[in-house]
Amino acid sequence: MSATIEKTKSFGAQSTTDKVLAGVDLKGQRFLVTGVSAGLGIETARALVAHGAQVVGTARDLAKAERATAQVREAAWENGGSFDVVELDLASLASVRAAADAIVAAGLPFDVIIANAGVMACPLGKTTDGFETQFGTNHLGHFVLVNRIAHLLKPGGRLVNLSSSGHRYSDVDLEDPNFEHTPYEEFQAYGRSKTANVLFAVEFDRRHRDRGVRATAVHPGGIQTELSRHMPDGALDDLLQSINEQNAAAGQPPMAWKTIPQGAATSVWAAVVAPAEAVGGQFCEDCHVAEISDVPGLTGGVQPYALDPENAKALWAKSEQMVGETF
């Protein structure tokens, strides 16, 4: 399932899913990919089924997913893969639990779970269960889903959590996760949720590695997808300018947009190409394991707090308390 470390060194920021998976046979392997109705989720599913994989996707809006994934179904048909979609609204724990129950009832194991779905820079809001929207959707929804189906991951399987360089905006705040006492700021909330995605992978990896299951978190890069739909016109360009000003001040190279196939490349690299022992419990970007870096700016590296094992254990305990379920 893994390529050699020497081969993985040839991949980088400009690599696409097709380049990363060139020559990889995924027939007989089964994947769960959340968020397949847009952007990275569609491309991730397409790339996997194009190599013969069986992919179960999730989407909040099944009709939208049906329209958006015609290319995925065609690639599956042409290459001996399969593609099915399960209804899942990560902002509703009732929906999450119903989806998990349906997946468990099917009884079929998975080689990889890719927790891809998410929201970014939302106005202050609450999920169905009263959680701050970004933390509730990006972290808690996946926390419940993945843990409820974790026993279906085969030995040698992997969990890939989509995080972001946006984790550098903020550590988690376990005293006030719902901004009940803290002034709300969209990107601080996004940063908390993306840090949580990394910490979840760190603790999941610790809990499951003895049975041969590893977990990692990935930053796909800056990609212009539906993720920015909550931002006003021009805000994305303003954000890029601000990021590059920070990067320049810190002596970092400028950030550049990636295409969607380039953005999804790190997900599939971490899922099936990179050696499990290299990526387990780590943060990956541009098809390599990121170095720990606490310099300002959003280009390159992972903040130490996002990989801190005690921070990860504390987040797990707080998450169990918030969702009312112990794993």
Side-chain angles (χ1 to χ4, degrees):
M1 189 168 170
S2 297
T4 64
I5 291 177
E6 285 75 22
K7 180 180 177 182
T8 66
K9 286 181 179 177
S10 67
F11 302 131
Q14 304 306 308
S15 298
T16 63
T17 48
D18 288 337
K19 179 178 179 181
V20 167
L21 291 180
V24 176
D25 184 359
L26 298 177
K27 288 185 175 65
Q29 295 188 31
R30 198 159 177 267
F31 296 75
L32 178 73
V33 181
T34 66
V36 297
S37 62
L40 294 177
I42 295 173
E43 173 60 17
T44 300
R46 183 209 64 79
L48 295 171
V49 300
H51 289 262
Q54 302 165 37
V55 174
V56 176
T58 77
R60 180 177 55 84
D61 184 336
L62 291 183
K64 178 183 178 182
E66 179 75 14
R67 294 189 299 270
T69 56
Q71 60 181 309
V72 181
R73 294 190 299 276
E74 181 178 354
W77 182 82
E78 291 176 348
N79 296 282
S82 67
F83 180 66
D84 299 290
V85 182
V86 174
E87 185 175 7
L88 169 67
D89 181 355
L90 288 164
S92 164
L93 291 186
S95 175
V96 171
R97 288 168 176 143
D101 288 347
I103 291 167
V104 169
L108 299 173
F110 289 100
D111 293 274
V112 180
I113 296 171
I114 301 179
N116 166 83
V119 294
M120 182 180 79
C122 306
L124 178 60
K126 303 290 185 183
T127 68
T128 302
D129 304 278
F131 308 128
E132 185 276 314
T133 299
Q134 298 188 76
F135 190 80
T137 303
N138 296 346
H139 169 58
L140 292 175
H142 279 123
F143 179 79
V144 172
L145 175 71
V146 170
N147 278 314
R148 279 185 161 232
I149 65 174
H151 64 283
L152 294 176
L153 275 170
K154 299 176 185 177
R158 302 187 194 184
L159 167 66
V160 178
N161 281 348
L162 269 285
S163 179
S164 169
S165 63
H167 80 277
R168 298 169 70 89
Y169 282 118
S170 179
D171 192 0
V172 292
D173 184 342
L174 303 185
E175 298 301 317
D176 187 24
N178 293 318
F179 285 88
E180 293 168 331
H181 309 291
T182 309
Y184 182 77
E185 199 284 312
E186 288 89 347
F187 277 99
Q188 182 184 29
Y190 182 64
R192 290 184 183 186
S193 73
K194 294 291 103 179
T195 294
N197 292 150
V198 188
L199 292 171
F200 176 30
V202 169
E203 179 62 5
F204 189 93
D205 185 78
R206 185 189 71 82
R207 288 170 174 247
H208 292 272
R209 62 191 175 207
D210 285 348
R211 71 180 185 95
V213 172
R214 305 305 301 264
T216 190
V218 304
H219 166 49
I223 308 114
Q224 293 176 294
T225 69
E226 280 192 11
L227 191 64
S228 61
R229 63 186 177 275
H230 295 288
M231 300 174 68
D233 290 344
L236 204 57
D237 291 332
D238 291 343
L239 175 64
L240 181 64
Q241 181 179 343
S242 173
I243 290 170
N244 282 336
E245 287 172 356
Q246 294 178 53
N247 288 342
Q252 297 287 313
M255 172 183 162
W257 295 120
K258 287 187 178 185
T259 66
I260 289 175
Q262 289 169 344
T266 302
S267 296
V268 298
W269 174 82
V272 300
V273 176
E277 64 276 11
V279 298
Q282 300 296 324
F283 179 89
C284 304
E285 59 188 0
D286 296 339
C287 298
H288 67 260
V289 176
E291 296 181 358
I292 294 176
S293 171
D294 58 4
V295 299
L298 295 179
T299 296
V302 55
Q303 284 281 350
Y305 55 68
L307 294 179
D308 181 80
E310 296 306 314
N311 204 16
K313 291 176 184 177
L315 172 66
W316 190 287
K318 182 65 175 182
S319 301
E320 289 182 329
Q321 176 190 343
M322 292 177 74
V323 303
E325 198 165 352
T326 301
F327 301 107

